[in-house]
C-alpha cells in the first residue's frame, strides 16, 4: 500500500485501491513527498503590473458593485457624458462614504465574529489530521486540528439564539453591510501586509520573485501559523462561507420584517449558502490535501478574496431579492431552480469527497465522519487510478472516469442557479458565475501547465484516458 516513487522505467498502469480501508490518521513514512517547490518560476496574473492592477481594482470593483446592487436596485451606474466622468467619480465616492464608511458597528460585527471563530478554533474538539510531507520542512508533516464543523454549528446556533432573544438581531448585518464590507477589506490588507512584513523580517520567504508588489500579491509564506491555528485553512473555510450564509440569512429575516414572510427565492439563497458553508466545514479534513493548502502561498489575493471578496461579492443574489422583491416567478421555475441546485450539490459534494478521500486513503489519513449530510458515492471502494512515475496516483474512477474536473462543473451549475433564482433583471446576481468561470478556466490552465511539467508523458496518458475537462464529449 506504499506510494513510494517509482523508477523512471516503471510503466504507467491501471491499479485499484485495496478493498480494506486504513482509518488510522497517523501517516506512514512511505508516502511520497508532495512537491511544493517550483524551479521553473514564471510570473502569473500579468506579473507585477497585473498584481498592482488587481490590488487596486478589486476593492474598487466591490465598492462599485455594492452601490449598484445595494443602492440602485441592481442597475449599472455610470456618468451621463464624457464631461461627467470626474464629477461622477466624486459622486460615487461621496455616496460610498455616506453608506459604507468604516464604523464601530461594522467593526464590532465583523471583527467580533472573526475573533469568536478564532477562539472556537483553539478550543473545539475535532480529529487531528496530518498533511503531506513538505520539502520546505525537511519532509515533516503539519498537524491540523479539524474542528471547523463544531465551530460552524456553535456559531450558527449562537447567532440564532442572539437573534431570537433580541440581543443581536441578524438584520443588523444587512443594515450595516457597507461598513462591514469596508472593514473586511481593510482587515485583509492589514493581515496581508503584516504577514508579508513578518515573513520578510524573519528571512522565511518562499518562492519569492524579488518584486515587492508581486510578492505581496502572490504571497511569500507557505504555512503561516499562530500556535495550532493554520491561517490558510482557517481563512479558507471559517470566514468566507459562514459570513456569506449569515448575509443571506440576514436578508431573509429583513424581508420577513418588511413583508411578513420569506419568499421562496430568498429561502433558496439561504439554503444554497447553508449547503455550501456546511459542506466546506463538514469536509475540512479533506481540504488539507488540496492545492490551496499544500501549494498556494498565503497571499494578499487569497486573504482579500476569502475575507472580503467571497462573502461580499457572492451575496448579490440575496441582496437583489431583498431590494427588488417579492418576485412572482412561477412554481415551475422555482422548482426547477431547487432541483437543479440540489442535483448539482450532490455531484459537487460527492465529487470533492471522492477526490480528496482518494488522496487521504493513499496518504493513510482517511477517517470516517458522520457529519450531516452524508451522501452515497462519497468514497470509491477499489478505486481505479493511474500510477505515475513521479509517485502520485491519478484518480480515474467515480465521476473522475468521465471528466477531469467534475467538481468544478457542478460548482458552476450551482453558481448558475444563484442567478437563475433572481430572474434576468440584473447582471449582478450572475457576477459570481461570470467571475468563477474566469477563475476556473485560469486555474485549470495553471493546473495543466504544472502537471505537464510534473508528470510529463504520464499526464499525456491521463488526458488520453480522461480526455474531457468539464463536460463529457463537449469540453
Amino acid at each position: 500500500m506504499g506510494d513510494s516513487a517509482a523508477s523512471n522505467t516503471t510503466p504507467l498502469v491501471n491499479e485499484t485501491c485495496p478493498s480494506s480501508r486504513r482509518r488510522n490518521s497517523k501517516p506512514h513514512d512511505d508516502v511520497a513527498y508532495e512537491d511544493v517547490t517550483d524551479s521553473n518560476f514564471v510570473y502569473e496574473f500579468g506579473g507585477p503590473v497585473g498584481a498592482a492592477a488587481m490590488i487596486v481594482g478589486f476593492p474598487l470593483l466591490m465598492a462599485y458593485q455594492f452601490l449598484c446592487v445595494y443602492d440602485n436596485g441592481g442597475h449599472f451606474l455610470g456618468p451621463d457624458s464624457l464631461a461627467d466622468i470626474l464629477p461622477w467619480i466624486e459622486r460615487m465616492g461621496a455616496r460610498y462614504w455616506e453608506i459604507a464608511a468604516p464604523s464601530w458597528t461594522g467593526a464590532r460585527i465583523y471583527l467580533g465574529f472573526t475573533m469568536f471563530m478564532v477562539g472556537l478554533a483553539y478550543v473545539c474538539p475535532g480529529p487531528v489530521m496530518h498533511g503531506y510531507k513538505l520539502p520546505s520542512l525537511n519532509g515533516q508533516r503539519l498537524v491540523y486540528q479539524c474542528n471547523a464543523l463544531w465551530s460552524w454549528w456553535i456559531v450558527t446556533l449562537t447567532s440564532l439564539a442572539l437573534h431570537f432573544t433580541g440581543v443581536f438581531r441578524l438584520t443588523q448585518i444587512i443594515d450595516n453591510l457597507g461598513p462591514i464590507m469596508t472593514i473586511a477589506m481593510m482587515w485583509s490588507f492589514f493581515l496581508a501586509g503584516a504577514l508579508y512584513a513578518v515573513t520578510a523580517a524573519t528571512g522565511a520567504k518562499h518562492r519569492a520573485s524579488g518584486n515587492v508588489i508581486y510578492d505581496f500579491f502572490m504571497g511569500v509564506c507557505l504555512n503561516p501559523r499562530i500556535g495550532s491555528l493554520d491561517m490558510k485553512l482557517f481563512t479558507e473555510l471559517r470566514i468566507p462561507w459562514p459570513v456569506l450564509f449569515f448575509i443571506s440569512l440576514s436578508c431573509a429575516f429583513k424581508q420577513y420584517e418588511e413583508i411578513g414572510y420569506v419568499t421562496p427565492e430568498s429561502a433558496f439563497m439561504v439554503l444554497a449558502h447553508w449547503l455550501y458553508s456546511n459542506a466546506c466545514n463538514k469536509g475540512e479534513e479533506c481540504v488539507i490535501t488540496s492545492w490551496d493548502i499544500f501549494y498556494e502561498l498565503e497571499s494578499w489575493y487569497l486573504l482579500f478574496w476569502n475575507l472580503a471578496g467571497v462573502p461580499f461579492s457572492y451575496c448579490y443574489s440575496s441582496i437583489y431579492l431583498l431590494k427588488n422583491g417579492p418576485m412572482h416567478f412561477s412554481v415551475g421555475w422555482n422548482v426547477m431552480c431547487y432541483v437543479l441546485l440540489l442535483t448539482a450539490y450532490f455531484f459537487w459534494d460527492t465529487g470533492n469527497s471522492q477526490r480528496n478521500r482518494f488522496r487521504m486513503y493513499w496518504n493513510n489519513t482517511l477517517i470516517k465522519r458522520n457529519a450531516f449530510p452524508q451522501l452515497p458515492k462519497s468514497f470509491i471502494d477499489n478505486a481505479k487510478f493511474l500510477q505515475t512515475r513521479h509517485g502520485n496516483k491519478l484518480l480515474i474512477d467515480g465521476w473522475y472516469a468521465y471528466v477531469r474536473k467534475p467538481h468544478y462543473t457542478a460548482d458552476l451549475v450551482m453558481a448558475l442557479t444563484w442567478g437563475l433564482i433572481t430572474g434576468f433583471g440584473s447582471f449582478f446576481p450572475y457576477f459570481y458565475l461570470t467571475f468563477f468561470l474566469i477563475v476556473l478556466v485560469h486555474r485549470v490552465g495553471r493546473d495543466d501547465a504544472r502537471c505537464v511539467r510534473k508528470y510529463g508523458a504520464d499526464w499525456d496518458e491521463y488526458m488520453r484516458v480522461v480526455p474531457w475537462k468539464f463536460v463529457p464529449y463537449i469540453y
Side-chain angles (χ1 to χ4, degrees):
M1 293 181 66
D3 193 17
S4 57
S7 69
N8 290 332
T9 59
T10 302
L12 190 70
V13 294
N14 288 12
E15 300 186 43
T16 60
C17 294
S19 59
S20 60
R21 306 183 198 177
R22 293 183 291 177
R23 303 187 186 281
N24 180 8
S25 65
K26 182 178 179 181
H28 291 177
D29 291 333
D30 59 357
V31 183
Y33 277 28
E34 184 56 45
D35 185 11
V36 294
T37 61
D38 192 348
S39 58
N40 300 306
F41 175 82
V42 293
Y43 277 126
E44 299 182 78
F45 299 102
V49 174
M54 283 184 273
I55 291 171
V56 174
F58 275 137
L60 294 177
L61 177 64
M62 287 179 60
Y64 172 77
Q65 293 189 126
F66 172 77
L67 289 176
C68 291
V69 178
Y70 193 86
D71 201 42
N72 198 46
H75 303 294
F76 285 102
L77 291 163
D80 296 328
S81 64
L82 290 177
D84 188 45
I85 291 178
L86 290 180
W88 174 76
I89 292 175
E90 293 177 359
R91 294 195 301 272
M92 291 286 284
R95 180 56 178 163
Y96 183 83
W97 190 256
E98 180 183 353
I99 65 174
S103 66
W104 287 112
T105 298
R108 284 196 298 270
I109 293 173
Y110 184 82
L111 297 180
F113 175 83
T114 298
M115 293 303 108
F116 184 54
M117 293 296 279
V118 168
L120 291 175
Y122 281 111
V123 302
C124 284
V128 176
M129 304 296 295
H130 295 76
Y132 284 128
K133 289 180 178 180
L134 299 177
S136 58
L137 297 177
N138 298 317
Q140 296 181 14
R141 302 172 186 270
L142 292 176
V143 176
Y144 298 86
Q145 181 74 32
C146 294
N147 54 17
L149 186 61
W150 273 92
S151 298
W152 161 241
W153 281 105
I154 289 174
V155 76
T156 299
L157 295 175
T158 301
S159 299
L160 290 173
L162 292 174
H163 174 80
F164 287 112
T165 58
V167 175
F168 175 78
R169 299 287 291 177
L170 290 175
T171 50
Q172 292 187 56
I173 297 173
I174 189 62
D175 290 340
N176 294 277
L177 191 65
I180 297 171
M181 182 181 75
T182 303
I183 291 294
M185 290 192 286
M186 293 170 62
W187 179 241
S188 66
F189 269 88
F190 169 77
L191 284 183
L195 182 60
Y196 180 88
V198 170
T199 305
T202 57
K205 289 184 179 180
H206 196 82
R207 296 203 304 267
S209 72
N211 182 282
V212 174
I213 294 176
Y214 183 79
D215 288 343
F216 173 71
F217 176 81
M218 290 295 294
V220 292
C221 186
L222 181 60
N223 304 115
R225 294 196 153 205
I226 305 174
S228 61
L229 180 70
D230 185 270
M231 283 185 61
K232 276 200 298 186
L233 190 61
F234 178 86
T235 56
E236 177 146 331
L237 299 181
R238 305 195 193 200
I239 299 299
W241 304 109
V243 171
L244 177 62
F245 165 72
F246 283 117
I247 291 173
S248 290
L249 187 61
S250 176
C251 289
F253 280 138
K254 187 70 175 180
Q255 186 179 66
Y256 184 84
E257 286 186 356
E258 292 179 350
I259 65 175
Y261 64 97
V262 176
T263 65
E265 296 82 14
S266 292
F268 175 96
M269 291 312 306
V270 173
L271 172 64
H273 291 163
W274 181 86
L275 285 171
Y276 212 108
S277 184
N278 184 71
C280 289
N281 286 283
K282 80 182 176 75
E284 180 187 26
E285 71 277 5
C286 296
V287 180
I288 293 169
T289 58
S290 70
W291 167 280
D292 286 356
I293 301 303
F294 78 77
Y295 183 82
E296 294 280 27
L297 301 165
E298 185 72 300
S299 59
W300 176 86
Y301 91 86
L302 282 182
L303 285 169
F304 181 85
W305 208 248
N306 282 329
L307 300 182
V310 167
F312 300 100
S313 293
Y314 296 177
C315 63
Y316 297 144
S317 296
S318 300
I319 301 172
Y320 179 80
L321 291 169
L322 173 65
K323 297 292 184 178
N324 296 276
M327 302 295 180
H328 298 287
F329 299 131
S330 68
V331 173
W333 179 262
N334 285 337
V335 169
M336 183 271 292
C337 288
Y338 273 88
V339 170
L340 193 58
L341 169 70
L342 294 174
T343 302
Y345 172 79
F346 172 80
F347 284 102
W348 174 73
D349 190 314
T350 56
N352 276 303
S353 182
Q354 288 176 5
R355 173 178 63 114
N356 288 310
R357 286 180 173 150
F358 171 79
R359 293 172 179 169
M360 292 170 68
Y361 179 89
W362 288 105
N363 198 36
N364 203 33
T365 56
L366 180 65
I367 62 171
K368 181 176 177 59
R369 300 187 74 184
N370 295 316
F372 177 81
Q374 286 297 307
L375 301 176
K377 299 187 181 296
S378 292
F379 180 80
I380 309 168
D381 283 303
N382 302 312
K384 297 178 182 178
F385 59 86
L386 294 180
Q387 176 66 61
T388 71
R389 296 168 180 85
H390 180 277
N392 292 71
K393 295 172 172 61
L394 302 177
L395 179 63
I396 54 169
D397 208 341
W399 311 138
Y400 294 85
Y402 303 100
V403 291
R404 302 198 295 273
K405 306 291 183 181
H407 53 299
Y408 286 168
T409 304
D411 218 343
L412 287 169
V413 174
M414 286 196 294
L416 173 63
T417 67
W418 297 7
L420 291 176
I421 197 65
T422 70
F424 302 98
S426 172
F427 160 76
F428 295 101
Y430 294 90
F431 169 77
Y432 171 45
L433 172 65
T434 305
F435 178 79
F436 194 36
L437 180 61
I438 295 171
V439 168
L440 286 188
V441 170
H442 176 265
R443 180 161 190 165
V444 169
R446 290 178 70 200
D447 289 352
D448 285 346
R450 177 175 175 269
C451 288
V452 166
R453 295 196 304 269
K454 182 175 180 180
Y455 299 121
D458 291 347
W459 188 252
D460 294 334
E461 175 65 10
Y462 174 61
M463 289 194 294
R464 185 193 67 79
V465 175
V466 189
W468 307 105
K469 287 185 180 180
F470 296 126
V471 182
Y473 306 105
I474 296 177
Y475 180 71

